[in-house]
Amino acid sequence: MRVSRRRRYTLVGLGAVAYASLTFVWFSLPAWLDVIVADFGSTSTQAGVLTAAIPLTYVPVSLFSGVVTDYIGPYQAIGVGVVLFGGAQSGRATAEAFPVLLALTVVVGVGGTAITFGLPKFVSELFPPEQSGTPSSMYVVGSLAGTAAAFSIGRAVLGGWRPLFRYTGVAVLAYAVLWGVIVRRAPLDAIGHSAGAGPTDGRPALSMAALKQDLSRVFSDRPMRLLVVVGGVYLLVTHGLQNWLATVLQSRGVGAALAASLVSGFVVAQAVGTLVVPAASDRLGRRGSVLAGCAGLCSLETATLLFAPVPLAIPIGGALAVGFGVGGLSPLVRMVPPEIEGIGPELTGTAVGLVFAVGEIGGFLGPFLVGALYDLTGTYAAGLAVICLGCLSAVVAGRRLPV
């Protein structure tokens, strides 16, 4: 049992590396956004579309990806996802036109769905629900490490965005090969938390009727609908603020290098929230109330970025506090579905897919509205105000969740 447990945590660690690779690829574009916009002669609205392309991709792809993950299993889903976003990252290095760069960024998003839904499914098969907190925090922290590296290391090496995209894409593809070798030596049905814990064990064959049945079960569940609201706000804040934070801070007089470092600090604060909040929710036994508290914190502290005539320490502190709140939301929206009656580990992929399919509408609107409203008003305050108000809806939904 001890060896099996150690192997399970090792596999989650390898999954965390896959998630870190995804978020590095994902946020390497926002980290170089000012340079890329200048190279392509893009407007702020085009920049908003480009940074929102991956969240927008989740909307039509998520449900299909989540359902298929439940049937083919997390090993295969994660492997396919790594190949897709690694190949797209290499391709983006050679893009000479904005539409090509945008199309390849969409491919990154398609690959990302397999990681986003594959890892919660992976953990649900490796660990029982009451032990899922630590492994869930592990892979979310991995995603944050990749994001932080994109904004810090990513701009400091290789002399430009094209070499960075090219070589990191090749490195991700190499990791895909390593993943394929390793998982062949550790079949899930041999190391899962229950006997016969295979990805399709006891389930009907993949068919349109089975897909419709699973989707119907998830869509009809009221707690899942409430969780979708919370997930949408989490993605609104994450993509809306994180993609534009460096630019917003620069508009307040912060230098480019310091602004990039502060974005890394935002991600570090997310990591702290990811580690602290799930454990606190375990002790309190009220995940819904904790979700509401995190959303309330995000609303209050985003408001500190709205007003220019205040000491700079206030919006900087507010941004870090938002990072902590978002960090708490991130693992919880993934952990709650297996604990909802009628969902469980069997439909975790489909349930998380629903959260992101609908929720990524918020993920798209966040960065898009910040850019588009800036073009209309000449200030970032309008977009940030939308984020503040959106968080209040998550406070209400979180308090009504029966978990």
Side-chain angles (χ1 to χ4, degrees), residues 14-64:
L14 292 169
V17 174
Y19 213 161
S21 301
L22 168 63
T23 53
F24 184 95
V25 168
W26 186 328
F27 290 102
S28 59
L29 189 148
W32 284 90
L33 186 61
D34 55 337
V35 178
I36 294 172
V37 166
D39 286 352
F40 285 88
S42 303
T43 66
S44 293
T45 299
Q46 286 178 313
V49 170
L50 190 61
T51 55
I54 295 177
L56 185 61
T57 301
Y58 272 63
V59 176
V61 174
S62 289
L63 275 178
F64 176 79

Side-chain angles (χ1 to χ4, degrees), residues 77-89 107 111 115 169 172-173 175-177:
I78 292 169
V80 170
V82 172
V83 170
L84 284 175
F85 70 75
Q89 176 78 334
V107 176
I115 307 299
V172 170
L173 292 174
Y175 185 76
V177 175

Side-chain angles (χ1 to χ4, degrees), residues 17-383:
V17 174
Y19 213 161
S21 301
L22 168 63
T23 53
F24 184 95
V25 168
W26 186 328
F27 290 102
S28 59
L29 189 148
W32 284 90
L33 186 61
D34 55 337
V35 178
I36 294 172
V37 166
D39 286 352
F40 285 88
S42 303
T43 66
S44 293
T45 299
Q46 286 178 313
V49 170
L50 190 61
T51 55
I54 295 177
L56 185 61
T57 301
Y58 272 63
V59 176
V61 174
S62 289
L63 275 178
F64 176 79
S65 180
V67 172
V68 170
T69 295
D70 279 334
Y71 281 88
I72 69 172
Y75 273 166
Q76 293 85 345
I78 292 169
V80 170
V82 172
V83 170
L84 284 175
F85 70 75
Q89 176 78 334
S90 294
R92 292 198 297 183
T94 65
E96 297 294 342
F98 180 84
V100 175
L101 182 63
L102 179 61
L104 288 170
T105 301
V106 168
V107 176
V108 172
V110 174
T113 64
I115 307 299
T116 302
F117 314 135
L119 285 169
K121 177 72 172 178
F122 196 27
V123 169
S124 73
E125 293 189 3
L126 289 174
F127 298 90
E130 65 273 12
Q131 297 178 18
S132 65
T134 298
S136 296
S137 293
M138 283 175 61
Y139 70 72
V140 174
V141 168
S143 75
L144 298 174
T147 304
F151 283 99
S152 53
I153 300 172
R155 287 206 66 150
V157 300
L158 299 179
W161 68 273
R162 290 187 186 274
L164 177 70
F165 283 25
R166 179 181 305 114
Y167 292 118
T168 54
V170 171
V172 170
L173 292 174
Y175 185 76
V177 175
L178 177 63
W179 175 264
V181 171
I182 291 174
V183 298
R184 286 179 177 273
R185 298 178 177 273
L188 281 175
D189 57 359
I191 62 174
H193 69 84
S194 61
T200 60
D201 215 31
R203 304 202 65 188
L206 180 60
S207 67
M208 186 58 66
L211 294 179
K212 289 181 178 179
Q213 182 181 15
D214 287 353
L215 289 173
S216 177
R217 287 174 59 185
V218 174
F219 269 113
S220 62
D221 193 275
R222 182 177 180 273
M224 276 304 308
R225 294 195 295 269
L226 293 171
L227 187 63
V228 164
V229 174
V230 178
V233 171
Y234 152 64
L235 294 163
L236 176 81
V237 177
T238 299
H239 300 306
L241 190 57
Q242 190 163 278
N243 280 314
W244 283 98
L245 182 58
T247 305
V248 170
L249 290 174
Q250 287 180 59
S251 74
R252 299 287 301 274
V254 177
L258 178 57
S261 297
L262 289 171
V263 174
S264 295
F266 176 87
V267 177
V268 170
Q270 283 183 269
V272 174
T274 295
L275 293 171
V276 171
V277 172
S281 72
D282 284 343
R283 289 194 297 270
L284 293 173
R286 291 288 301 169
R287 299 204 193 278
S289 296
V290 174
L291 284 168
C294 288
L297 179 65
C298 290
S299 180
L300 179 65
E301 299 303 329
T302 299
T304 65
L305 297 167
L306 290 172
F307 308 106
V310 296
L312 194 59
I314 293 177
I316 290 175
L320 296 178
V322 174
F324 179 88
V326 169
L329 291 174
S330 182
L332 287 178
V333 297
R334 295 166 168 88
M335 291 166 56
V336 167
E339 300 180 19
I340 294 176
E341 186 177 355
I343 303 298
E346 178 188 4
L347 293 176
T348 292
T350 304
V352 178
L354 173 64
V355 171
F356 280 82
V358 181
E360 282 294 6
I361 296 173
F364 167 76
L365 288 175
F368 175 76
L369 287 176
V370 172
L373 290 175
Y374 178 83
D375 282 344
L376 289 173
T377 66
T379 176
Y380 293 108

